Amino acid sequence: MQQLVSMRQVRKSFAGVPALRDASLEIVPGEVHALIGQNGAGKSTLIKCLTGVHRRDGGQVSLSGREFAADSPRDAQDSGIATIYQELNLVPLRSVTENIVMGAEPKNRLGLIDWPAAHRRAGEMLSRFGIDIDVRQRLGRYPAAIQQLVAIARAVSLDARLVIMDEPTSSLDDREIETLFSVVRNLRAEGISVLYVSHFLDELFQICDRVTVMRDGCTVAVREIARTDKLGLIADMLGRDRNEISASGMTALDGPRGEVGAEILSLGHVATGRSLRDASLTVRQGEIVGLGGLLGSGRTETARAIFGLDSLKHGEITLPGGGGAPRSPADAIAAGIGFVAEDRKAEGIVPDMSVRENLTLALLPRLRHAGGIDTRREREIVDHFIRALGIKLASADQPIRQLSGGNQQKVLLARWLATRPDLLILDEPTRGVDVGAKREIQAIIRDFVADGGAVLLISSEFEEIVEGADRVIVMQEGRSVSELPGEGLTESALIAAIAHVPDEVPA
Amino acid sequence: MSDEGMTVENRVRGKREPMAMISRHGGLAALAVLLIFNLLVTPNFLQAQTLAVNVSQVATIALVAVGMTLVIATGGIDLSVGAVMALSGAMAPIIFTSEFAQAYPVPGLAAAFLLPLVAAFCCGMFNGALVALLGVQPIIATLIFFISGRGVAQVLTNGNLQTFTNPSFSYIGTARLLGIPVQGWLVALIAAVIWYVIRYTASGRYLLAVGGNERAARMAGVPVTRVKIMAYATCSVLSGLSGLIVVAINSASDAARIGNLMELDAIAAAVVGGAVLSGGRAPIWGAILGAVVIQLVKYTLLANGVADEIALIAKAGIIVAAVYAQQMRKG
């Protein structure tokens, strides 16, 4: 069968850092094709190279057998590639009809919009998907799932041959997901291809035909969904041998655990929403507790709950010092917690402020002196951390945005170390930093723990967790499901625990 | 005053924000052009009286521009400044002409200064609460007082022009110290204090952090809500003070006219001074420079017999030039 989309050996770098090295993707007409991979594997970059958001550096892309290079998302849309983003690009304040026919409104003889025809067309469009709603109502009145379906209906009305869905189910409930799936099956029946990006592997087995797996900017596997299983996909995503994963099993689960210090943090059945349903764990002084799990398993949400960023729906948290769940980051910081967030740019640095100001931002309440800031002590502290952490910079007064990723990360670590916290939460502390800086950052973390600090470590790099953590809490789909001792823990044992499905014991 | 202000500005910003050079030079260049033009063209420009008149006028713009700079530094905007000026300007004469103030002149005078400022402070708290607690967009939140503030002021005065003779109150609008109007010194003092707070205190750091990256600031324990509310409250109090000065200068209070279109002058002055609407920078002396430029444009056109309407167009031209300089800086 003729390929609808064929991308081969696609390469793309950003500022010299390769995001795609050898990526390929082939989609045949009328198939539902999944694209999976860990964070940073290159999924979204690959999609953006197809939809004209990015221009590829190299490789071949063809659409229906013809060479294809979209200059803009609009261009891709005109060629029949529609993208349904996580944040829908619809107009919630306008009617469903307007959202569907926007840009292609039926006109009457006077050149005005023929509303009866427009409503009829919108209604027909939706009823093809088995949806019967009042198309005259504002789109914003309908739940997220309906809005998503309207976006799909709009895409189809523009004669899309390929509909790209990026995490379409992340904001839907179980019933809405079923509706979405039936629409996807309808699309397939009409010969329209769907590229389906999701972190929820179970979904793929329900609706996908084939799956392309990416890792580190390369396409590493293309599988028929019927001929693989969850364990196989995880093995592909992580680059491990499936036999190794299943053979090592869960035998280490009940191993001994060394007593460290006093317990300083405990979570009991904490839930904050759909992404964090039931997390329980404890952290004690002088230990690194790893949070293991796939993307979307609730690791970051656990950290956010502890730091007072998301309010609890259920469960309880006991902080260092004995306090209950914090209501704000300021509460959490006062209780002795620091949090190096995953997204350094969005939640870490204040780009235009100096390194010095960034480093002491969390410390300011303790630097107050006679109505101002004790600048002498501030400089001492900043100089100390620049030396101790080996931060490379021209001057402590230069804007932090001018530093490399690794050095920015060290400044953020220093921000929290300077507050002398009892507990540091580190979410992907070494992501996007070079190997040298990574080793240094890991050494800094070790030193902090050796001095009696406690660390809750989130990392998608199993090596980092296995080497670093004294214990690992394994999370799946918003729940903490098991605990592994760090001693003697191997990467494959960790992966097996993460991939372990209670009701589907791997062969 | 402006010379001294700029020297400080120069030193501080030059060290802290080398990238701001161009936009700062934009403001300075505009000032230089205006001064040279006036020296050549405007009769009697180099007179003490001219300086006094301009300082007297610029003080009211500068106060509001400084407040506006604080709000803009958080990434917000305050449209209500002119209306708040009208409100406080309408309240003061009512208070010091009241029977209470006639009977007890000293507490009466104190109340005439304090109560309008308290009222202004409350307006600012309201603006800030809407923005910071309820997440209302600043332009909408401050539109409420933009519309209603002047209305309240007119209701208070029954829409009448209030004229009065009260030398003690008029002091802040008409007295001179070393040949300079007293409100000029007041502005310099207030700007210096606020500049110090921005530069050397935790609150100032917090303000810039909130504007620079609100999420990161929150994650670092910065009291984002409080910082934003205080920025709006400070801006309103400064606007209220400016309203009092306008009334004192004129020995008359017309609620319909005090601070009319001041929000635009203040935003223009802040932008000419180097404020960035996305937040994260608070060039206080820049705001003063911007206010001086705006005032000089007004004065230049007025002194040379150009109509007020043309002055509006000239002001727009300055804003365009300032924004252009900012864009160049980004690129």
Side-chain angles (χ1 to χ4, degrees):
Chain A
M1 192 186 266
Q2 160 119 52
Q3 302 282 352
L4 174 66
V5 171
S6 165
M7 304 179 78
R8 284 182 194 172
Q9 295 169 323
V10 174
R11 283 178 287 113
K12 176 72 190 173
S13 297
F14 295 104
V17 182
L20 294 179
R21 290 182 298 181
D22 178 11
S24 53
L25 176 66
E26 314 235 299
I27 304 173
V28 298
E31 80 165 331
V32 181
H33 195 109
L35 182 61
I36 63 172
Q38 287 281 83
N39 253 349
K43 302 182 300 275
S44 55
T45 310
L46 183 65
I47 289 174
K48 285 174 178 168
C49 284
L50 179 63
T51 57
V53 177
H54 296 322
R55 204 170 290 247
R56 62 183 187 268
D57 296 341
Q60 300 93 46
V61 177
S62 62
L63 187 66
S64 302
R66 253 174 296 169
E67 170 79 24
F68 177 71
D71 292 325
S72 67
R74 178 79 212 207
D75 200 12
Q77 202 174 68
D78 293 343
S79 308
I81 300 176
T83 312
I84 317 293
Y85 289 101
Q86 276 165 301
E87 298 85 25
L88 295 170
N89 37 358
L90 296 175
V91 191
L93 291 177
R94 306 308 302 176
S95 72
V96 173
T97 298
E98 284 172 277
N99 272 289
I100 291 177
V101 303
M102 199 190 314
E105 297 90 349
K107 303 276 170 62
N108 59 20
R109 270 169 302 167
L110 296 173
L112 301 173
I113 296 174
D114 184 351
W115 285 111
H119 290 311
R120 205 166 47 240
R121 195 205 281 182
E124 281 165 9
M125 211 60 119
L126 289 172
S127 64
R128 268 165 68 188
F129 300 138
I131 306 161
D132 185 21
I133 58 171
D134 182 357
V135 293
R136 285 156 222 262
Q137 293 290 340
R138 275 182 311 166
L139 177 69
R141 295 182 41 144
Y142 293 106
I146 299 287
Q147 298 194 26
Q148 202 139 25
L149 298 176
V150 169
I152 295 168
R154 173 173 165 75
V156 174
S157 77
L158 296 171
D159 292 328
R161 287 178 288 168
L162 171 67
V163 177
I164 300 173
M165 299 186 190
D166 188 4
E167 292 280 336
T169 59
S170 56
S171 57
L172 306 185
D173 67 29
D174 295 341
R175 201 170 41 83
E176 293 170 333
I177 289 173
E178 257 325 299
T179 316
L180 177 78
F181 284 176
S182 72
V183 168
V184 170
R185 293 191 189 103
N186 268 330
L187 291 177
R188 174 166 56 193
E190 294 188 17
I192 297 168
S193 307
V194 175
L195 180 60
Y196 192 91
V197 183
S198 178
H199 295 307
F200 300 109
L201 297 183
D202 290 333
E203 291 176 9
L204 310 187
F205 292 93
Q206 292 185 47
I207 56 158
C208 294
D209 302 310
R210 292 195 304 157
V211 51
T212 290
V213 186
M214 293 187 69
R215 176 164 25 95
D216 297 334
C218 300
T219 295
V220 292
V222 181
R223 308 259 177 221
E224 298 273 339
I225 208 87
R227 294 192 191 164
T228 185
D229 59 11
K230 207 165 153 185
L231 189 61
L233 291 181
I234 293 171
D236 286 337
M237 266 161 72
L238 305 177
R240 309 285 158 165
D241 180 60
R242 60 170 295 144
N243 295 324
E244 177 196 355
I245 294 176
S246 52
S248 57
M250 312 273 288
T251 47
L253 192 67
D254 300 319
R257 97 171 45 131
E259 285 302 318
V260 198
E263 185 175 299
I264 57 163
L265 173 79
S266 78
L267 271 66
H269 305 289
V270 167
T272 57
R274 190 169 174 262
S275 306
L276 186 62
R277 298 163 189 242
D278 184 4
S280 300
L281 59 89
T282 59
V283 182
R284 285 163 299 181
Q285 280 176 339
E287 69 172 352
I288 299 178
V289 174
L291 272 185
L294 295 171
L295 204 61
S297 59
R299 295 170 304 176
T300 297
E301 287 76 9
T302 304
R304 290 178 59 88
I306 299 169
F307 204 59
L309 285 159
D310 296 335
S311 53
L312 301 198
K313 292 212 173 111
H314 296 291
E316 54 200 27
I317 297 179
T318 311
L319 296 182
R327 281 171 306 152
S328 69
D331 273 5
I333 294 165
I337 301 179
F339 181 16
V340 178
E342 177 182 5
D343 191 337
R344 188 162 53 229
K345 245 185 184 154
E347 303 194 314
I349 63 170
V350 183
D352 287 332
M353 285 183 113
S354 69
V355 171
R356 177 171 51 83
E357 290 164 323
N358 268 286
L359 199 154
T360 57
L361 193 57
L363 192 65
L364 284 181
R366 290 180 233 178
L367 283 175
R368 283 182 204 270
H369 172 73
I373 297 167
D374 187 343
T375 45
R376 225 188 50 173
R377 237 191 94 213
E378 184 187 24
R379 285 192 183 280
E380 279 171 17
I381 290 169
V382 170
D383 290 345
H384 165 76
F385 279 105
I386 288 175
R387 257 182 287 114
L389 271 53
I391 301 171
K392 291 179 199 67
L393 38 57
S395 147
D397 288 317
Q398 78 185 113
I400 194 169
R401 64 183 143 79
Q402 296 174 351
L403 267 55
S404 70
N407 281 302
Q408 288 182 2
Q409 192 71 343
K410 285 186 192 173
V411 174
L412 294 180
L413 269 172
R415 176 190 284 175
W416 295 114
L417 292 176
T419 66
R420 302 182 168 279
D422 296 315
L423 170 70
L424 256 186
I425 307 170
L426 306 173
D427 195 350
E428 306 285 356
T430 60
R431 168 167 303 159
V433 307
D434 64 68
V435 181
K438 185 169 167 174
R439 291 283 158 227
E440 289 171 9
I441 288 169
Q442 286 166 342
I444 294 164
I445 298 169
R446 265 289 162 210
D447 285 349
F448 170 72
V449 175
D451 286 346
V455 167
L456 187 62
L457 175 68
I458 300 172
S459 177
S460 296
E461 289 185 41
F462 297 107
E463 191 189 349
E464 192 162 76
I465 292 213
V466 166
E467 283 179 3
D470 299 309
R471 285 186 293 135
V472 179
I473 311 291
V474 177
M475 299 201 64
Q476 283 179 357
E477 292 170 8
R479 295 185 169 84
S480 54
V481 291
S482 59
E483 181 173 328
L484 310 173
E487 207 171 333
L489 181 63
T490 61
E491 279 182 57
S492 41
L494 174 60
I495 292 163
I498 286 170
H500 179 70
V501 188
D503 54 349
E504 181 199 310
V505 180
Chain B
M1 182 204 85
S2 48
D3 266 353
E4 176 199 309
M6 266 167 289
T7 323
V8 179
E9 163 78 10
N10 215 346
R11 190 162 50 76
V12 173
R13 293 261 305 284
K15 197 168 77 179
R16 280 164 55 88
E17 276 286 6
M19 294 293 281
M21 297 285 271
I22 300 170
S23 68
R24 192 188 73 231
H25 283 310
L28 284 178
L31 182 66
V33 169
L34 283 165
L35 287 176
I36 292 169
F37 178 85
N38 277 299
L39 286 172
L40 296 177
V41 177
T42 309
N44 302 324
F45 186 68
L46 271 185
Q47 301 275 326
Q49 183 58 26
T50 308
L51 180 66
V53 166
N54 276 302
V55 169
S56 165
Q57 296 292 333
V58 82
T60 58
I61 304 176
L63 275 176
V64 183
V66 166
M68 188 67 76
T69 298
L70 298 180
V71 171
I72 290 178
T74 68
I77 198 105
D78 187 350
L79 294 185
S80 71
V81 288
V84 170
M85 282 176 73
L87 183 62
S88 79
M91 281 176 74
I94 295 176
I95 294 168
F96 64 66
T97 56
S98 67
E99 282 170 29
F100 171 79
Q102 302 300 329
Y104 308 96
V106 175
L109 187 67
F113 278 111
L114 283 179
L115 290 182
L117 295 184
V118 169
F121 178 77
C122 292
C123 293
M125 293 291 285
F126 181 82
N127 286 339
L130 283 187
V131 172
L133 291 176
L134 300 183
V136 180
Q137 286 173 3
I139 205 163
I140 303 300
T142 58
L143 197 58
I144 295 174
F145 275 119
F146 172 83
I147 295 167
S148 66
R150 193 175 298 280
V152 172
Q154 283 171 302
V155 169
L156 284 179
T157 59
N158 292 322
N160 295 329
L161 175 72
Q162 309 176 83
T163 56
F164 56 85
T165 314
N166 187 327
S168 321
F169 182 80
S170 294
Y171 182 84
I172 60 160
T174 53
R176 294 201 187 169
L177 206 61
L178 305 177
I180 307 271
V182 71
Q183 63 264 44
W185 296 109
L186 186 64
V187 170
L189 178 72
I190 287 172
V193 169
I194 290 181
W195 171 79
Y196 179 88
V197 168
I198 300 282
R199 182 82 175 82
Y200 291 107
T201 71
S203 308
R205 276 295 164 80
Y206 285 162
L207 180 82
L208 299 179
V210 168
N213 185 346
E214 187 172 328
R215 274 173 78 191
R218 201 182 291 277
M219 298 277 283
V222 172
V224 175
T225 307
R226 202 173 73 212
V227 167
K228 282 187 165 179
I229 292 178
M230 283 318 293
Y232 284 91
T234 308
C235 180
S236 282
V237 169
L238 292 177
S239 305
L241 182 57
S242 177
L244 295 183
I245 292 173
V246 169
V247 171
I249 291 175
N250 297 328
S251 284
S253 168
D254 179 355
R257 300 209 37 181
I258 303 168
N260 198 19
L261 293 183
M262 180 55 95
E263 51 287 336
L264 302 186
D265 279 352
I267 294 167
V271 170
V272 169
V276 184
L277 290 178
S278 53
R281 298 184 52 213
I284 298 301
W285 299 111
I288 304 276
L289 170 68
V292 168
V293 168
I294 298 255
Q295 167 58 25
L296 263 184
V297 171
K298 279 189 190 171
Y299 178 81
T300 306
L301 298 172
L302 191 71
N304 291 289
V306 179
D308 244 13
E309 296 76 13
I310 309 288
L312 291 177
I313 298 172
K315 265 195 273 180
I318 290 175
I319 297 171
V320 169
V323 171
Y324 179 70
Q326 278 192 9
Q327 293 299 322
M328 284 200 353
R329 187 162 57 83
K330 275 188 210 152

